[in-house]
Amino acid sequence: MRKIRVAIAQAEVAPDLAAGLDKTRLLTRQAAGSGAKLVVFPETWLPGYPAWLDHCRDAALWDHPPVKEVYARMFSQSVVVSGESGKVLAGIAREASVAMVVGVIERVEAGPGRGTLYNSLLTFSPDGVLVNHHRKLMPTYTERMVWGTGDANGLQAVDTPAGRVGGLICWEHWMPLTRQAMHDAGEDIHVAVWPTVHEMHQLASRHYAFEGRCFVLAAGAIMKMSALPKELEVHPGRGEWALSGGSMVVGPDGKIIAGPIMEREKVLLTEIDLDLVRQEGMTLDVSGHYSRPDAFEFRTIKHPRPK
């Protein structure tokens, strides 16, 4: 048996990047202190998912000063992967000696694409090396107003002490070819990051685990409506929570083995047995004995990113 401990950090989004980095360090240390070898954070954990796109009035109005102010603030608080905030994240993984996967809003500071924001997923090794950098291929619906379209360079799994780890962001889990690219990468553990893991997102995460014959760590954040930007008016009748968590761990047979945890902060710690990945592959292996390369051809197109 190859048993390891993994952790999903489900917490309330911090008010700014500096506070978010401090919270990331605290939660990572807590998880590592409990024996976790892999620690996962939700979609755009830093500096927080722009839930105002869906919960606030007038978010799509042209040339609307309050929305522009909110966007500019999000821009200023976003993560520069090669900058100081990226170095802090690498240091957090290194200090805790864990593999860490964290969702961020990434800002490009220089060169082609300067000023673009991406919805990105960063994977760090226990020695603080950035071993995978995935940008969401297609921002979902209202997200297209604030994020650029990503690329296929991060559609891979990387070796860590916790096994081979890959990840996708939110609605990428409903893109069949994207899923196939990740299945072909040979994941033991798939990190599925969401703003919140509600029922349909739970369904997608469970389906991914069953289809890919891997463990899925589905990570969601929590945010109260009161934390939405004060410049914008909230749609009535939306309740208390803008994001309600829902983090859970799914086994390679599609069954939930921990969670979902709703509407509260928790470091969800779970022990998993990686041998189950191979056992479940006996009946279904979409990149192996079920793949039929004589009937289908598939390839992922990757281009070098501008420096």
Side-chain angles (χ1 to χ4, degrees):
M1 293 188 294
R2 295 185 295 156
K3 292 188 175 181
I4 60 162
R5 300 199 87 186
V6 296
I8 302 172
Q10 175 172 296
E12 197 158 355
V13 172
D16 55 53
L17 179 58
L21 288 167
D22 288 343
K23 197 164 191 175
T24 304
R25 178 179 287 105
L26 177 66
L27 293 170
T28 302
R29 286 175 176 172
Q30 180 181 338
S34 298
K37 300 300 181 185
L38 171 66
V39 184
V40 171
F41 292 86
E43 179 178 0
T44 61
W45 162 248
L46 299 172
Y49 186 79
W52 50 271
L53 287 169
D54 300 314
H55 288 293
C56 295
R57 294 180 184 271
D58 303 331
L61 285 181
W62 181 260
D63 200 26
H64 189 49
V67 172
K68 292 195 290 185
E69 290 176 16
V70 171
Y71 173 80
R73 184 165 63 245
M74 180 179 73
F75 185 95
S76 70
Q77 295 298 307
S78 56
V79 171
V80 178
V81 175
S82 61
E84 187 58 34
S85 48
K87 293 176 183 177
V88 171
L89 286 171
I92 291 171
R94 184 173 58 251
E95 292 161 11
S97 192
V98 296
M100 183 175 75
V101 182
V102 55
V104 302
I105 298 176
E106 174 196 355
R107 182 172 82 247
V108 177
E109 282 279 77
R114 179 179 179 273
T116 302
L117 297 181
Y118 292 101
N119 181 340
S120 296
L121 193 62
L122 308 179
T123 302
F124 295 92
S125 65
D127 54 359
V129 175
L130 180 63
V131 290
N132 197 23
H133 178 185
H134 172 53
R135 291 172 175 169
K136 189 176 183 181
L137 283 165
M138 181 56 64
T140 304
Y141 196 47
T142 52
E143 294 173 357
R144 299 185 195 190
M145 292 191 293
V146 296
W147 291 328
T149 53
D151 54 55
N153 292 338
L155 295 181
Q156 60 182 344
V158 293
D159 290 316
T160 77
R164 282 184 63 78
V165 176
L168 292 176
I169 303 168
C170 199
W171 278 44
E172 289 183 321
H173 291 88
W174 281 297
M175 298 173 70
L177 300 184
T178 304
R179 294 201 312 270
Q180 186 62 52
M182 293 307 302
H183 297 331
D184 288 349
E187 298 169 293
D188 296 318
I189 299 172
H190 176 79
V191 177
V193 295
W194 309 87
T196 185
V197 195
H198 57 57
E199 183 182 8
M200 283 302 295
H201 297 167
Q202 292 173 19
L203 176 63
S205 299
R206 294 184 66 184
H207 174 268
Y208 190 99
F210 187 90
E211 180 180 77
R213 286 335 211 198
C214 59
F215 287 93
V216 169
L217 276 55
I222 56 176
M223 177 191 292
K224 292 184 177 179
M225 288 289 187
S226 59
L228 291 170
K230 299 298 186 288
E231 295 93 335
L232 304 178
E233 182 183 353
V234 176
H235 286 290
R238 295 296 177 100
E240 180 182 3
W241 298 96
L243 307 174
S244 55
S247 298
M248 65 179 189
V249 179
V250 186
D253 58 357
K255 295 179 181 178
I256 299 173
I257 57 178
I261 306 297
M262 307 298 297
E263 298 178 356
R264 62 187 175 97
E265 291 197 344
K266 183 177 179 61
V267 175
L268 181 60
L269 284 154
T270 312
E271 185 176 74
I272 63 174
D273 183 357
L274 296 179
D275 282 346
L276 294 179
V277 172
R278 301 295 164 255
Q279 292 178 23
E280 293 300 328
M282 178 178 178
T283 50
L284 175 65
D285 182 354
V286 297
S287 295
H289 58 80
Y290 258 68
S291 63
R292 290 300 304 273
D294 59 313
F296 303 100
E297 291 183 354
F298 175 76
R299 68 188 181 102
T300 303
I301 302 171
K302 300 184 180 184
H303 301 288
R305 283 182 187 151
K307 298 296 184 183

